[in-house]
Structures are given as structure tokens and as C-alpha cells.
């Protein structure tokens, strides 16, 4: 269990670093956007516990996801407002800003630093639906996956308030994470399954001529017949490699692996802060080196966020880190 938890932390660390890098203009953008958010939803589904009561699950989910969204989404709006006033830029009407933050809850309507937080309400809805289905209906695993795929495909064409549509679109990956955890020992002990995933992944890439961007924030699923098996295959390969690699002395004691795990354990802190650190890093790098040094921007932004992680470790009881 400790080895599995460490694998999850590393996978979350990789996923949040890809989010950070994905929001920087880099040549890796198409590859990152093809799977990094589904990876996060998959990881979020791993620890859905149907042993909780409905009330307890909803309450804890709201405290961990909705409350931070409201707090840091509001701060993101205020930060953008102050910046626009200071730089004499146009200011979005207040009612439109509030509607984006409190009603639509998606990147298309939130024109401020809080837009990256759309993931939190979507995760709340997606995890809640999977929890309810798993606890009260108990479908066969295959039917469970098919049902979530059907729902995601239908919701893809609709627009629902409160981020509900993004949560429903994310259902297949959350469902997969939930089922993977149940059968984790069987899958992780088999050497053949990652070979099958790798073969499927290669066939899909050859057939389609390369990766295709996938943006769950705007519900851009591309062709689901490609995007779902592609992301699933890649996610399972990544998880298997991280799990098997963790058993090797080089990786288990590697400082970089430890840092990745820290990023994973504090992924919410990174999610909230990275859009600010990205902006600061971009300004500093452009002034010092010029444009095009995306890797320097990434390194500087990641270093700034890691400093915040270390501060949280030291002042974990501080009010400023209470909801992170």
C-alpha cells in the first residue's frame, strides 16, 4: 500500500508539472494537452471510498474542492481586477465576472487568474456521480465504463451551469481510476498488460498520424473513439512505469523522484499558484533572455512553486495554507 501511495504521489506530481508546463508556450503543448487532464481525473478516481455515507462524502468533497475554488477563484478575480486597474486595461463588467465564477464555472467565462480552477468543481461533480453509481447501482465494470462514455459523449454537446458539464465529461476517466484501484494488484503484477497498452497506443498514433489535442475544460474531446483508448493506454503505461520504477534502488532514492512526490502531495497548492508564477517567470525570462526560452520559464516557475511547497511544510498550521 505504501508503494502504491508513493506511485500515486509521483503520478500526481507528473500530472501537475505537466499542467504547469502546458500553460507555458512550449513545443510540447499538443502532446501535454492530449492526456494530462485525463490523467488527473484518473488519479482522482483511485480513492473513491463507497464505505462513506452520502452526506459525509458530499461534505468532505465540498470542503476539499468547492470551498478552495470559491476562495482562490475570488482572489484570482481580485488579482486580475487590480492588475487591469493598475495597467489601465479594460475591466470586465462585474455581473459577467460573477456569472463566470459562480454560475458557469468554466475557462470560457472566467476571464481572470481563477480560470485554471475550473478543474475543482468538475472533479467534485465527477467524483460524486461515480461514488453514487458505484455505491447504489453497482454496475458490472464494463457496463459502468460504457455508461460513463455514453454520458460524456452526450454532455459534450451541451452547456450546463456550475461546471456540471465538465464533471460529466470527465466521468470515463474517473470511473477508470475507481475500477483500476479495485483490481490494482491483478493489473500491476502482470507484465503483459502494459505491452498490450503500448501496442494499442502505437496503433492509434499510426492510424491517426500523431497526437490530437484534448481539452476537457472546453469539452474538446476530438474523436472519442480515438481519444479515450489513447489516453487510457498512455495513462496505464505511465502508472505502470512509475510503479515498477519505484521498486528500483535508483528511483526509490532519487532526489528528483522525491521532489515529484512532493509536487503530487501538494498538487492543489501548485494548481492555485502556478498561473501567477508562470506569469512572473515569463516576464523575468523575457526581460533577461528574450522570447523563446520556454524551458527557463518552466524551471523558474516550478522553482517558485517548490519554494511555496517548502514554506507549507514549515508552516502547515498557518491560516494561509489551511485550504491548500
Amino acid at each position: 500500500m505504501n508503494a502504491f501511495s508513493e506511485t500515486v504521489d509521483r503520478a500526481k506530481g507528473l500530472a501537475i508539472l505537466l499542467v504547469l508546463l502546458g500553460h507555458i508556450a512550449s513545443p510540447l503543448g499538443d502532446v501535454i494537452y492530449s492526456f494530462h487532464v485525463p490523467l488527473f481525473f484518473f488519479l482522482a478516481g483511485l480513492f473513491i471510498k463507497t464505505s462513506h455515507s452520502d452526506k459525509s462524502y458530499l461534505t468532505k468533497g465540498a470542503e476539499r474542492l468547492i470551498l478552495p475554488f470559491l476562495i482562490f477563484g475570488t482572489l484570482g478575480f481580485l488579482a486580475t481586477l487590480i492588475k487591469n486597474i493598475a495597467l489601465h486595461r479594460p475591466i470586465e463588467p462585474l455581473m459577467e465576472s460573477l456569472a463566470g465564477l459562480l454560475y458557469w464555472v468554466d475557462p470560457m467565462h472566467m476571464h481572470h487568474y481563477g480560470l485554471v480552477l475550473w478543474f475543482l468543481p468538475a472533479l467534485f461533480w465527477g467524483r460524486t456521480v461515480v461514488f453514487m453509481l458505484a455505491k447504489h447501482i453497482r454496475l458490472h465494470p464494463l457496463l459502468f465504463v460504457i455508461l460513463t462514455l455514453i454520458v460524456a459523449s452526450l454532455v459534450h454537446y451541451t452547456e450546463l451551469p456550475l461546471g456540471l458539464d465538465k464533471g460529466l465529461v470527465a466521468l470515463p476517466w474517473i470511473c477508470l481510476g475507481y475500477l483500476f484501484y479495485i483490481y490494482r494488484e491483478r493489473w500491476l503484477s502482470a507484465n503483459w498488460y502494459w505491452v498490450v497498452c503500448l501496442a494499442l497506443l502505437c496503433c492509434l498514433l499510426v492510424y491517426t498520424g500523431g497526437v490530437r489535442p484534448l481539452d476537457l475544460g472546453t469539452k474538446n474531446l476530438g474523436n472519442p473513439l480515438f481519444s479515450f483508448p489513447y489516453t487510457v493506454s498512455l495513462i496505464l503505461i505511465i502508472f505502470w512505469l512509475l510503479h515498477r520504477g519505484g521498486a528500483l534502488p535508483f528511483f526509490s532514492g532519487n532526489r528528483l523522484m522525491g521532489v515529484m512526490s512532493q509536487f503530487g502531495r501538494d498538487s492543489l497548492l501548485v494548481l492555485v499558484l502556478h498561473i501567477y508564477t508562470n506569469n512572473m517567470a515569463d516576464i523575468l525570462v523575457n526581460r533577461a533572455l528574450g522570447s523563446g526560452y520556454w524551458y527557463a520559464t518552466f524551471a523558474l516557475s516550478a522553482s517558485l512553486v517548490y519554494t511555496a511547497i517548502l514554506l507549507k511544510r514549515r508552516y502547515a498550521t498557518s491560516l494561509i495554507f489551511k485550504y491548500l
Side-chain angles (χ1 to χ4, degrees):
M1 190 62 193
N2 289 335
F4 184 83
S5 297
E6 185 65 21
T7 301
V8 173
D9 287 338
R10 290 176 178 175
K12 286 173 62 179
L14 174 63
I16 197 63
L17 286 170
L18 290 174
V19 169
L20 191 157
L21 182 56
H23 291 152
I24 293 172
S26 79
L28 304 175
D30 286 347
V31 176
I32 292 171
Y33 268 87
S34 71
F35 75 95
H36 75 309
V37 175
L39 172 57
F40 241 127
F41 281 119
F42 167 84
L43 295 172
L46 290 175
F47 296 114
I48 294 177
K49 304 291 188 187
T50 56
S51 57
H52 294 293
S53 68
D54 294 355
K55 181 180 179 181
S56 173
Y57 192 85
L58 289 170
T59 301
K60 290 182 178 180
E63 290 176 352
R64 294 177 59 186
L65 299 171
I66 301 301
L67 191 55
F69 168 79
L70 293 174
I71 292 173
F72 297 106
T74 301
L75 291 177
F77 161 70
L78 294 175
T80 304
L81 177 63
I82 293 171
K83 185 185 79 171
N84 288 340
I85 292 174
L87 298 178
H88 306 288
R89 293 178 179 176
I91 299 174
E92 185 180 47
L94 178 60
M95 293 307 297
E96 290 186 20
S97 297
L98 292 176
L101 179 65
L102 301 177
Y103 183 75
W104 291 114
V105 191
D106 67 11
M108 301 299 293
H109 293 87
M110 293 192 293
H111 305 143
H112 51 77
Y113 287 127
L115 63 88
V116 296
L117 303 178
W118 69 269
F119 174 82
L120 299 178
L123 180 57
F124 171 79
W125 293 119
R127 280 174 55 95
T128 299
V129 171
V130 170
F131 170 81
M132 293 296 181
L133 289 175
K135 182 173 182 177
H136 298 293
I137 299 182
R138 300 181 181 180
L139 296 169
H140 184 278
L142 182 58
L143 292 178
F144 202 171
V145 173
I146 292 174
L147 175 62
T148 59
L149 282 170
I150 292 173
V151 172
S153 299
L154 294 175
V155 174
H156 173 227
Y157 300 101
T158 64
E159 190 170 17
L160 301 174
L162 304 177
L164 180 59
D165 51 346
K166 267 71 69 180
L168 295 177
V169 165
L171 283 180
W173 292 279
I174 299 174
C175 171
L176 179 68
Y178 168 75
L179 294 175
F180 182 85
Y181 182 78
I182 295 176
Y183 302 104
R184 63 191 182 280
E185 293 183 3
R186 181 186 308 176
W187 285 100
L188 291 174
S189 62
N191 291 325
W192 58 265
Y193 100 88
W194 75 271
V195 178
V196 174
C197 291
L198 183 60
L200 176 60
L201 182 65
C202 292
C203 291
L204 289 169
L205 290 175
V206 170
Y207 179 75
T208 59
V211 300
R212 294 291 184 270
L214 175 72
D215 188 353
L216 297 187
T218 58
K219 296 180 296 182
N220 175 22
L221 298 180
N223 181 358
L225 295 178
F226 164 78
S227 59
F228 185 69
Y230 165 78
T231 53
V232 168
S233 300
L234 188 54
I235 287 168
L236 292 178
I237 290 171
I238 290 171
F239 199 89
W240 188 89
L241 290 174
L242 289 173
H243 182 74
R244 286 304 179 92
L248 300 176
F250 173 78
F251 289 102
S252 62
N254 190 289
R255 173 65 177 168
L256 289 178
M257 293 296 102
V259 171
M260 185 181 293
S261 296
Q262 286 183 301
F263 271 89
R265 286 189 288 270
D266 290 301
S267 56
L268 179 56
L269 175 65
V270 182
L271 178 66
V272 169
L273 291 184
H274 84 277
I275 192 166
Y276 304 99
T277 59
N278 276 9
N279 283 343
M280 290 188 289
D282 185 61
I283 292 172
L284 293 172
V285 170
N286 282 339
R287 288 182 177 178
L289 304 175
S291 60
Y293 293 89
W294 59 270
Y295 45 88
T297 301
F298 170 71
L300 179 56
S301 181
S303 298
L304 292 172
V305 173
Y306 188 61
T307 301
I309 291 174
L310 295 179
L311 287 173
K312 181 184 175 182
R313 288 281 183 270
R314 184 169 183 177
Y315 303 104
T317 59
S318 173
L319 180 61
I320 193 173
F321 293 116
K322 182 177 180 180
Y323 299 104
L324 291 172

